Amino acid sequence: MNKKLLGFIPFLIFIFLCVFLYQGLFGNPRELQTGRIGQAMPSFVLPDLMDESKQWRDSDLKGQVYLLNVWGTWCPTCIAELGYLTELREQGVRIIGLYYEQAYDPDFGDQFDINALRNEVQTMLARAGNPYQFNILDLDRTLALDLGVSGAPETFLVDANGKILLHHTGDINPRVWRAKFAPVMQELSQ
């Protein structure tokens, strides 16, 4: 190889690192996007949180625009957003909960008490507001992993055909709703 060309390799590595670090330094962590934007909701069959005899499928959700809100009672930000999400439900926004159980890990032999979780969820929703049409229990986090969920809360806007249009990491509040979700909802209603 040419010695002059070899001399440029450290310089190119330096430029690459500068660009990479600059993006990390000034990037907005709330703008993390799933790779599923524009794609169909992943296929799933998961139980209803409050009634294990009821199974929900991705096909059950088609036909209407909805928000899929990933949440948990262990999450303070999730609890804080329940009031505003309840206001949105009262305005006609369809919201489906995807309950993300953080404390359970079967690989470590954890025991899971579904009745205790149901009581905790009922108490929380009665106190803070219940925006959900229903809650899907994703105990093994299969759907959450397929969606690229990194924690809670996260919210996905899904169209009537089951296509993911938006993904927001963090709480939904009036500012976020006006800036990010309302314009897309307006387009969908036309």
Side-chain angles (χ1 to χ4, degrees):
M1 239 184 169
N2 188 342
K3 287 186 177 186
K4 287 184 180 182
L5 185 58
L6 285 175
F8 280 111
I9 292 175
F11 178 71
L12 292 174
I13 292 171
F14 174 75
I15 295 297
F16 174 77
L17 285 173
C18 286
V19 169
F20 178 76
L21 293 173
Y22 179 82
Q23 287 176 331
L25 186 61
F26 294 103
N28 184 350
R30 291 189 176 266
E31 294 301 320
L32 296 174
Q33 291 293 325
T34 180
R36 303 225 30 124
I37 299 286
Q39 296 181 11
M41 175 64 79
S43 295
F44 67 87
V45 178
L46 291 169
D48 188 281
L49 174 62
M50 303 312 260
D51 179 4
E52 69 272 359
S53 68
K54 174 69 177 160
Q55 296 285 308
W56 294 104
R57 292 170 172 71
D58 53 302
S59 59
D60 295 329
L61 304 181
K62 289 184 179 176
Q64 294 182 17
V65 174
Y66 64 93
L67 298 179
L68 181 70
N69 180 250
V70 181
W71 78 289
T73 56
W74 51 267
C75 166
T77 308
C78 299
I79 296 164
E81 78 176 343
L82 286 174
Y84 186 68
L85 289 176
T86 301
E87 289 178 30
L88 291 175
R89 180 182 180 179
E90 291 166 357
Q91 296 169 21
V93 176
R94 185 174 188 222
I95 305 172
I96 310 302
L98 179 63
Y99 193 85
Y100 187 90
E101 179 55 46
Q102 183 181 31
Y104 174 71
D105 192 338
D107 292 338
F108 291 105
D110 290 347
Q111 298 298 315
F112 183 70
D113 185 348
I114 187 68
N115 291 323
L117 176 61
R118 287 179 180 146
N119 289 335
E120 186 177 348
V121 167
Q122 285 177 329
T123 301
M124 182 61 61
L125 295 177
R127 188 176 68 221
N130 185 356
Y132 304 112
Q133 301 285 321
F134 54 86
N135 273 286
I136 299 168
L137 178 61
D138 190 12
L139 194 57
D140 294 326
R141 300 182 194 110
T142 54
L143 180 55
L145 288 171
D146 286 345
L147 288 168
V149 169
S150 59
E154 292 190 30
T155 304
F156 298 84
L157 175 60
V158 183
D159 73 7
N161 297 316
K163 184 168 82 171
I164 299 170
L165 302 177
L166 284 175
H167 173 212
H168 177 74
T169 301
D171 67 316
I172 301 294
N173 56 52
R175 181 186 51 78
V176 168
W177 182 259
R178 281 190 308 273
K180 198 169 189 178
F181 288 86
V184 178
M185 294 292 282
Q186 181 70 28
E187 284 181 33
L188 290 172
S189 68
Q190 295 176 354

